Amino acid sequence: MSPPHAVSRLLKDYGPSLLALLAGSLLALMIHCNSQLSSFSNPLSASWLAHGIGMLTALLLWMANRRASPGTTSAPRWAYLGGMPGALVVALAAITVNSPLAMSGTLALGMAGQLLFGLLSDHFGGFGMPRRRLSLNDVLALLLALSGCAILIFGA
């Protein structure tokens, strides 16, 4: 395999995982910035400002990457509600980061909530996801993540 093909293969195999890690890091940075902003105002104001800036950023990205999608159908109505949980995440995280949970506890419990929601969505086929039978590995991974959260928050 020549080097360009090897790089292409690595990006295909590991690119989505690297992007997910980047997204998680950006989420932590966003929570930190918003908690700092809320400490100078309040969580609701911080959420409004963060989402206003986020909307402008998304608009610029959309304008830069706009292209026609032939034959697409409209999204289900519930898909347009993604901003609602996003706004709640910003406001709730701004509160919890400035609590005894701090940044690490907030992120750990947030990750645990995402894992639990993801496993339930997979199992029940929620929100248009294909149904996937949960395995013992899924349950063990969730228990390990929850155990890690407890150690992080309450100590060993």
Side-chain angles (χ1 to χ4, degrees), residues 12-57:
K12 184 178 179 188
D13 290 346
Y14 300 107
S17 296
L18 293 173
L19 289 175
L21 282 172
L22 177 62
S25 298
L26 291 173
L27 180 63
L29 177 62
M30 178 198 73
I31 289 171
H32 173 69
C33 292
N34 292 335
S35 70
Q36 289 297 304
L37 186 60
S38 75
S39 69
F40 290 100
S41 58
N42 62 60
L44 187 58
S45 296
S47 180
W48 272 102
L49 187 59
H51 280 82
I53 293 170
M55 181 191 69
L56 291 175
T57 304

Side-chain angles (χ1 to χ4, degrees), residues 37-109:
L37 186 60
S38 75
S39 69
F40 290 100
S41 58
N42 62 60
L44 187 58
S45 296
S47 180
W48 272 102
L49 187 59
H51 280 82
I53 293 170
M55 181 191 69
L56 291 175
T57 304
L59 182 62
L60 290 173
L61 290 171
W62 175 74
M63 289 172 62
N65 293 303
R66 221 177 358 177
R67 59 181 165 245
S69 301
T72 59
T73 60
S74 61
R77 287 185 182 171
W78 58 262
Y80 294 98
L81 301 177
M84 291 173 66
L88 288 171
V89 165
V90 170
L92 296 175
I95 293 167
T96 57
V97 167
N98 293 316
S99 77
L101 282 175
M103 175 70 90
S104 58
T106 296
L107 291 173
L109 288 174

